[in-house]
Amino acid sequence: MPRVVHFDIAAADTARAIAFYKRAFGWTITKADGALDYWLIRTGEKDEPGIDGGIAQREADWQRITMFVDVESADASSAKIEKVGGRIVQPRSVIPGVGYVVACEDTEGNIFALIQQDETAGF
């Protein structure tokens, strides 16, 4: 069964957002390795319930806080989303070394993302 595995916080000012979430919740936030300007958020210890996330520069109006649902196939899941009344906001794109992502909108106007994890993606 697909599960929420990650969240992204889109920010107009990433430094301001990082400072806010560190002060508000005590989260550990570190720059991710690689070429992307992306910061990883650790919300707690691995043996505690919950999920971790990240902060990135907002690049599109629809980006706010996005949950990522782990799926076996981004393409098959995208087709199912549309079949049941959802909409694809951003078609499948690759995050090198991570996998394939599709941004979707549910029937209530909420944005979420599908992620097909694949460490070989983009290489």
Side-chain angles (χ1 to χ4, degrees), residues 33-104:
D33 293 335
L36 296 176
D37 284 332
Y38 193 75
W39 289 262
L40 297 170
I41 301 171
R42 191 180 80 211
T43 62
E45 299 303 320
K46 292 288 182 203
D47 60 343
E48 295 176 349
I51 62 173
D52 293 329
I55 294 176
Q57 185 71 42
R58 180 174 292 122
E59 295 178 0
D61 288 341
W62 60 263
Q63 293 175 309
R64 299 287 185 255
I65 296 178
T66 306
M67 70 173 179
F68 283 74
V69 180
D70 187 37
V71 297
E72 287 186 35
S73 167
D75 293 335
S77 295
S78 294
K80 186 173 184 179
I81 294 300
E82 289 181 311
K83 183 178 180 180
V84 299
R87 183 173 75 91
I88 303 305
V89 176
Q90 178 182 325
R92 187 177 83 160
S93 61
V94 65
I95 300 174
V98 175
Y100 303 97
V101 176
V102 178
C104 307

Side-chain angles (χ1 to χ4, degrees), residues 95-100 116-122:
I95 300 174
V98 175
Y100 303 97
Q116 175 186 330
Q117 297 186 50
D118 181 350
E119 293 178 357
T120 66

Side-chain angles (χ1 to χ4, degrees), residues 6-9 21 34 45 64 68 73 79 81 97 100 110-111:
H6 186 80
F7 66 87
D8 263 351
I9 298 170
Y21 285 102
E45 299 303 320
R64 299 287 185 255
F68 283 74
S73 167
I81 294 300
Y100 303 97
N110 299 303
I111 302 296

